[in-house]
């Protein structure tokens, strides 16, 4: 918990948020309000809630850093994933707003927008066999011809949380094997 972390280390200087669920193959006209609310509540409201809770401690540290996981879907939209795209777009906007509002107290906030990462979420609600879908996605959309690894995102988060990125705030870092430039 936050209180246990502060008690053990004396402060909180880094927060990484990584909330995310997806429902693919949705049609906007068939998406229920309940389905919309579930994704938005977890992806966006969950991110907001943990930042809201941790913000006083991050401000106290005078060098606080927030890194939130967004998605390439936030910037490019993906057919059949409107709710997910909208919720992650909210995360990216939230981070930019926090960066502007809290820079004067030494807080930095950035987002990472991953492409397809080899986690269970990559395989949820796929209409075809997973190996074919993932292979097609990599072949068609990723100049670096492989699916991303969790370590790719972790390394980007470590960089954004480190002093090596001390002049970076309000940015969205695309860690996507080149998907965003194609």
């Amino acid at each position: 918990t936050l209180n246990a972390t502060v008690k053990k280390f004396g402060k909180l200087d880094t927060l990484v948020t990584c909330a995310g669920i997806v429902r693919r193959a949705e049609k906007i006209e068939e998406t229920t309000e309940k389905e919309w609310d579930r994704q938005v509540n977890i992806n966006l409201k969950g991110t907001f809630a943990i930042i809201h809770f941790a913000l006083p401690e991050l401000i106290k540290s005078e060098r606080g850093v927030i890194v939130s996981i967004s998605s390439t879907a936030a910037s490019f939209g993906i057919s059949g994933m409107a709710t997910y795209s909208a919720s992650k777009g909210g995360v990216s906007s939230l981070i930019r707003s926090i960066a502007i509002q809290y820079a004067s107290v030494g807080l930095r906030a950035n987002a990472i927008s991953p492409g397809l990462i080899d986690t269970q979420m990559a395989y949820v609600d796929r209409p075809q066999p997973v190996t074919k879908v993932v292979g097609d996605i990599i072949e068609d959309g990723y100049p670096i011809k492989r699916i991303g690894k969790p370590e790719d995102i972790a390394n980007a988060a470590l960089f954004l949380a480190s002093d090596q990125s001390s002049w970076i705030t309000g940015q969205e870092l695309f860690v996507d094997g080149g998907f965003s430039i194609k």
Side-chain angles (χ1 to χ4, degrees):
T1 69
L2 177 65
N3 293 335
T5 299
V6 172
K7 184 176 180 180
K8 182 173 181 173
F9 297 103
K11 65 180 179 172
L12 177 70
D13 53 19
T14 303
L15 175 69
V16 177
T17 68
C18 185
I21 62 166
V22 66
R23 181 175 174 265
R24 285 183 187 77
E26 70 176 342
K27 293 183 177 178
I28 294 173
E29 69 274 16
E30 295 172 1
T31 301
T32 67
E33 186 175 350
K34 183 177 178 180
E35 290 166 343
W36 171 272
D37 286 347
R38 182 169 184 263
Q39 284 189 69
V40 170
N41 284 342
I42 291 171
N43 298 352
L44 177 56
K45 190 175 181 181
T47 298
F48 165 80
I50 191 64
I51 291 171
H52 179 265
F53 186 68
L55 205 50
E57 292 297 332
L58 290 165
I59 291 169
K60 272 192 231 175
S61 79
E62 297 178 354
R63 290 179 51 161
V65 177
I66 298 170
V67 178
S68 287
I69 307 303
S70 183
S71 173
T72 53
S75 296
F76 301 102
I78 296 175
S79 179
M81 294 174 56
T83 305
Y84 178 80
S85 297
S87 67
K88 288 299 188 170
V91 169
S92 297
S93 292
L94 174 64
I95 289 303
R96 285 190 296 273
S97 294
I98 289 168
I100 292 167
Q101 186 171 356
Y102 294 98
S104 65
V105 296
L107 179 72
R108 295 185 300 111
N110 292 289
I112 296 173
S113 286
L116 186 65
I117 304 298
D118 192 11
T119 65
Q120 177 135 8
M121 195 164 131
Y123 306 105
V124 171
D125 292 335
R126 294 283 184 193
Q128 301 172 8
V130 169
T131 52
K132 178 174 178 6
V133 172
V134 171
D136 289 349
I137 290 169
I138 291 169
E139 190 61 36
D140 293 342
Y142 289 85
I144 296 178
K145 299 291 185 193
R146 70 170 174 84
I147 189 170
K149 300 174 192 168
E151 303 86 63
D152 295 322
I153 306 310
N155 289 334
L158 284 169
F159 168 70
L160 289 173
S162 76
D163 288 340
Q164 292 176 330
S165 66
S166 64
W167 210 47
I168 300 173
T169 194
Q171 299 303 304
E172 187 170 358
L173 178 61
F174 291 91
V175 182
D176 64 2
F179 174 84
S180 57
I181 59 170
K182 193 160 186 228

